[in-house]
Amino acid sequence: MLYAINTKGEKLLPEPHMEAICPICKNKVISKCGEINAWHWAHKSNVECDDWTETDSEWHNSWKKLYPKENCELDINGRRADILTDHYEVILLNSSSLSLEDIRLRESYFKNIIWIIKADDIIENFDFYEKDNYYTFRWKHARKYVAYLTKPTILDFGDGELFVLRKMYKKSPCGGWGKFISLDTFLKVKKFNYNRNFFKAVDSRDEWEKYE
């Protein structure tokens, strides 16, 4: 967690040697402020109250700091939304593989989701080909779960370079198409799930069973 709360319910960033309260389960958390890992809050019991959340990295925190703290790490019926936009869409920050069941649970629970996938460490695995006003791509050593995300999906290649994934084919060789946008453009979008420029084409249902 990037934020914990004090007894007044005020959100706090971690600083060395601090204790506070988890805004979800209300149990004690302690600040983790080492020299290697991103500064964050951890449950004193070492048990995460929301097993859907990832351990915060500098990448996770850099995204959260783009939004007011009031929009970050919000409790939605016992689950922590990384970011809730002013238009009530949940941004989920993801850097690890997800099972098909993980995807189904999250997308049905939060409903209006924008997936942001950490991809700055794998950009060399992509070959892009410009086609008019969009790009096709081939993805070597692809993270295949990304093809099964049905909500707006953004690949973050770092340095403010984002790729709107409009289509990713489930069969090998993995490829698809989409469009590059700037971080500034992303932050100005009001409703991703109502904007056709961000809709993700989905294959027929029988393709899901092949993945399983």
Side-chain angles (χ1 to χ4, degrees):
M1 291 183 297
L2 179 61
Y3 295 103
I5 58 173
N6 59 22
T7 55
K8 296 179 181 179
E10 299 167 329
K11 284 191 170 181
L12 306 173
L13 288 168
E15 294 183 7
H17 314 298
M18 288 181 65
E19 288 192 3
I21 300 168
C22 171
I24 306 297
C25 66
K26 304 302 187 290
N27 288 320
K28 287 185 178 181
V29 292
I30 55 176
S31 59
K32 296 286 187 176
C33 302
E35 296 182 7
I36 298 177
N37 296 324
W39 287 17
H40 64 282
W41 295 97
H43 286 77
K44 204 168 185 178
S45 63
N46 289 322
V47 177
E48 175 57 63
C49 64
D50 183 358
D51 58 3
W52 285 3
T53 60
E54 294 187 334
T55 300
D56 277 344
S57 65
E58 290 291 354
W59 176 77
H60 292 83
N61 290 347
S62 67
W63 270 100
K64 292 175 185 177
K65 289 176 181 178
L66 293 173
Y67 292 83
K69 62 183 179 182
E70 292 77 17
N71 292 70
C72 297
E73 299 182 346
L74 296 185
D75 180 1
I76 299 181
N77 299 321
R79 294 292 184 182
R80 185 181 300 124
D82 290 322
I83 299 164
L84 183 67
T85 72
D86 289 338
H87 299 279
Y88 301 100
E89 291 186 295
V90 172
I91 295 177
L92 292 183
L93 305 169
N94 183 260
S95 63
S96 58
S97 183
L98 294 169
S99 69
L100 210 56
E101 184 64 17
D102 290 333
I103 295 168
R104 289 170 175 162
L105 287 172
R106 286 159 176 75
E107 292 193 340
S108 63
Y109 188 88
F110 291 117
K111 294 183 174 59
N112 287 331
I113 291 175
I114 307 99
W115 291 99
I116 299 182
I117 309 300
K118 186 178 188 294
D120 58 326
D121 54 337
I122 54 171
I123 190 170
E124 68 276 3
N125 294 339
F126 285 82
D127 292 317
F128 288 101
Y129 308 92
E130 189 171 3
K131 302 281 187 179
D132 298 324
N133 63 341
Y134 67 95
Y135 285 81
T136 62
F137 66 86
R138 283 288 180 266
W139 186 354
K140 292 173 282 188
H141 312 298
R143 295 174 180 172
K144 294 184 179 180
Y145 78 93
V146 175
Y148 295 83
L149 306 175
T150 68
K151 302 297 184 177
T153 303
I154 309 295
L155 302 180
D156 179 8
F157 289 118
D159 295 326
E161 190 171 33
L162 308 178
F163 188 75
V164 180
L165 184 63
R166 297 293 308 280
K167 178 68 178 178
M168 180 174 168
Y169 297 98
K170 297 181 175 69
K171 296 180 180 179
S172 295
C174 287
W177 61 275
K179 189 173 184 178
F180 283 98
I181 63 170
S182 68
L183 178 59
D184 286 342
T185 298
F186 175 89
L187 294 173
K188 291 176 183 176
V189 176
K190 293 183 178 180
K191 290 187 177 182
F192 294 88
N193 285 278
Y194 297 89
N195 187 329
R196 290 187 176 275
N197 292 321
F198 292 89
F199 287 1
K200 192 162 181 279
V202 180
D203 289 334
S204 60
R205 190 72 182 181
D206 61 351
E207 291 291 336
W208 288 62
E209 275 53 59
K210 293 178 184 179
Y211 177 73
E212 293 178 303

